[in-house]
């Protein structure tokens, strides 16, 4: 009896090659998205090199153990789809940050400076943005109160 579910013996993310893994339609969708991503950006090692990140920094970015990266380099078909999704989001974020002058400088520093200096720069950048956000909140609340007052005048 054919259940209509495709079976792929080559992809096994839990390390048990003898076990047959059936693929759901959602799984096949994820794998198709990975193929599109890889055709557009290349493999994860290519992306790492293009970003100018060390293997250690890339593992920290993806929140994975370096041993996982080593395994994936032996067989890139075993990289879980969520890793490609995280890279896709990171690349999109990086593209947006490049257009922001202050944040583009911070992004460049993440690739070239030690973590402690980076932390201080990030704190300073966040402090400046926090002050601007607080000022914006005051203006928004002021406008909201003015509109509320206007609405009360109109109603009564």
């Amino acid at each position: 009896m054919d259940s209509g579910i495709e079976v792929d013996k080559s992809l096994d993310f839990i390390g048990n090659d003898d076990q047959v893994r059936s693929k759901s339609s959602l799984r096949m969708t994820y794998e198709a998205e990975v193929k599109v991503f890889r055709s557009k950006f290349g493999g994860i090692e290519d992306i790492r090199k293009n970003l100018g990140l060390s293997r250690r920094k890339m593992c920290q970015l993806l929140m994975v153990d370096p041993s996982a990266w080593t395994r994936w380099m032996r067989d890139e078909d075993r990289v879980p789809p969520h890793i490609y999704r995280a890279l896709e989001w990171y690349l999109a974020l990086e593209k947006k940050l490049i257009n922001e002058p202050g944040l583009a400088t911070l992004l460049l520093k993440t690739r070239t400076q030690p973590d402690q200096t980076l932390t201080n720069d990030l704190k300073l950048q966040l402090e400046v943005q926090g002050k601007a956000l607080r000022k914006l909140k005051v203006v928004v609340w002021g406008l909201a109160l003015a509109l509320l007052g206007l609405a009360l005048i109109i109603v009564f």
Side-chain angles (χ1 to χ4, degrees):
M1 182 174 181
D2 185 18
S3 65
I5 296 177
E6 183 181 337
V7 176
D8 184 358
K9 295 180 183 178
S10 67
L11 296 175
D12 179 23
F13 296 106
I14 58 174
N16 190 355
D17 293 332
D18 297 334
Q19 184 180 4
V20 175
R21 184 179 181 134
S22 62
K23 290 199 258 181
S24 67
S25 61
L26 191 56
R27 178 72 182 187
M28 290 188 285
T29 301
Y30 292 154
E31 289 176 2
E33 289 174 2
V34 166
K35 286 181 184 178
V36 170
F37 180 85
R38 286 178 70 181
S39 68
K40 186 174 180 181
F41 297 104
I44 59 173
E45 186 68 11
D46 297 328
I47 295 167
R48 181 191 68 78
K49 288 177 182 175
N50 290 337
L51 290 172
L53 297 173
S54 67
R55 287 187 180 102
R56 180 175 174 256
K57 284 281 189 186
M58 191 66 152
C59 289
Q60 289 173 348
L61 172 74
L62 295 171
M63 294 190 291
V64 297
D65 191 78
S67 65
W69 188 269
T70 303
R71 272 194 318 275
W72 297 340
M73 290 303 95
R74 278 187 253 139
D75 183 8
E76 210 165 309
D77 289 337
R78 295 179 68 126
V79 178
H82 69 274
I83 295 298
Y84 287 100
R85 178 66 51 87
L87 286 172
E88 182 179 19
W89 290 343
Y90 180 78
L91 292 170
L93 178 64
E94 181 187 51
K95 186 176 179 181
K96 287 185 179 187
L97 290 179
I98 287 174
N99 296 328
E100 295 290 328
L103 295 178
T105 304
L106 183 62
L107 180 65
L108 180 62
K109 288 179 182 179
T110 61
R111 296 184 182 167
T112 58
Q113 291 185 350
D115 292 336
Q116 186 57 43
T117 305
L118 225 179
T119 303
N120 293 337
D121 288 346
L122 184 58
K123 285 178 184 175
L124 181 62
Q125 184 73 22
L126 291 173
E127 185 179 317
V128 169
Q129 288 177 350
K131 287 179 182 177
L133 184 60
R134 284 190 292 278
K135 287 179 183 178
L136 182 62
K137 283 181 181 178
V138 169
V139 170
V140 169
W141 274 107
L143 287 172
L145 289 174
L147 287 173
L148 180 62
L150 184 60
L152 289 174
I153 290 172
I154 292 172
V155 170
F156 295 108

